[in-house]
Amino acid sequence: MASNASKEVIDDLDKRIIQFLSHNGRMSFAEMATHLDVTEKTVRTRYNNMVENKIIEVVGVVNPITLGIKVAAIIQFRVIPEFLDDVIEELKNNPVIRYVTTTSGDYQLLAQMNMRDYEELNDTIKIIHQIPNITSTNVLIQLDVHKNSFEFI
């Protein structure tokens, strides 16, 4: 009988490489290798393997405030259950909505939005309220971000 034990996808070295990249995505393989006491080739090989296996994804992260996007909000949605997929698709098609997830609890969906000002927030909420099969929403305006990290690895 085959074992159902879970196999570790990445090891401690991979995790440490990810931690260095999460602090400075432009850190060279040579610099990481020095800190990790391994060869540059080892870091490069591990990095390429994680990218190839879709463990990490290389993306540019924009600071929205520098682009004039100063308002952030989280909206919780109650949805008629049989129309959940339809509402998700509608939300995904709205460009100011950057994140959509299903959740447990009183609200089935949560979305994060970023926009330039409160007028755009108001306009977006009006558009969202026109989406069929949403029975109620709860809008939370983000006032200040105190932590935003990727150190959970």
Side-chain angles (χ1 to χ4, degrees), residues 22-42:
S22 71
H23 288 287
N24 178 2
R26 295 178 53 131
M27 182 180 280
S28 71
F29 295 147
E31 187 177 352
M32 278 188 269
T34 300
H35 290 295
L36 296 169
D37 198 28
V38 296
T39 66
E40 180 180 350
K41 180 179 179 185
T42 297

Side-chain angles (χ1 to χ4, degrees), residues 1-5:
M1 184 174 196
S3 170
N4 287 335

Side-chain angles (χ1 to χ4, degrees), residues 54-143:
K54 300 185 190 301
I55 294 167
I56 61 174
E57 183 178 342
V58 181
V59 297
V61 178
V62 174
N63 178 349
I65 293 171
T66 64
L67 300 176
I69 300 171
K70 298 178 181 173
V71 176
I74 297 169
I75 302 184
Q76 297 170 306
F77 299 89
R78 284 192 182 115
V79 178
I80 298 171
E82 57 267 27
F83 298 102
L84 187 63
D85 290 338
D86 296 336
V87 172
I88 290 170
E89 285 306 310
E90 286 280 340
L91 295 173
K92 286 170 43 179
N93 289 327
N94 187 317
V96 300
I97 296 177
R98 59 169 291 277
Y99 180 83
V100 178
T101 185
T102 52
T103 59
S104 63
D106 292 336
Y107 295 89
Q108 295 95 336
L109 290 175
L110 179 142
Q112 291 180 349
M113 308 183 326
N114 294 92
M115 60 245 23
R116 297 189 189 297
D117 52 37
Y118 290 103
E119 183 178 346
E120 188 175 1
L121 172 62
N122 189 43
D123 293 343
T124 301
I125 291 170
K126 287 177 183 177
I127 291 167
I128 286 171
H129 284 151
Q130 293 176 13
I131 298 173
N133 305 307
I134 294 175
T135 59
S136 68
T137 60
N138 183 34
V139 180
L140 306 165
I141 309 254
Q142 291 179 242
L143 300 175

Side-chain angles (χ1 to χ4, degrees), residues 37-50:
D37 198 28
V38 296
T39 66
E40 180 180 350
K41 180 179 179 185
T42 297
V43 174
R44 183 181 306 104
T45 300
R46 294 295 189 101
Y47 170 86
N48 288 335
N49 184 50
M50 287 189 287

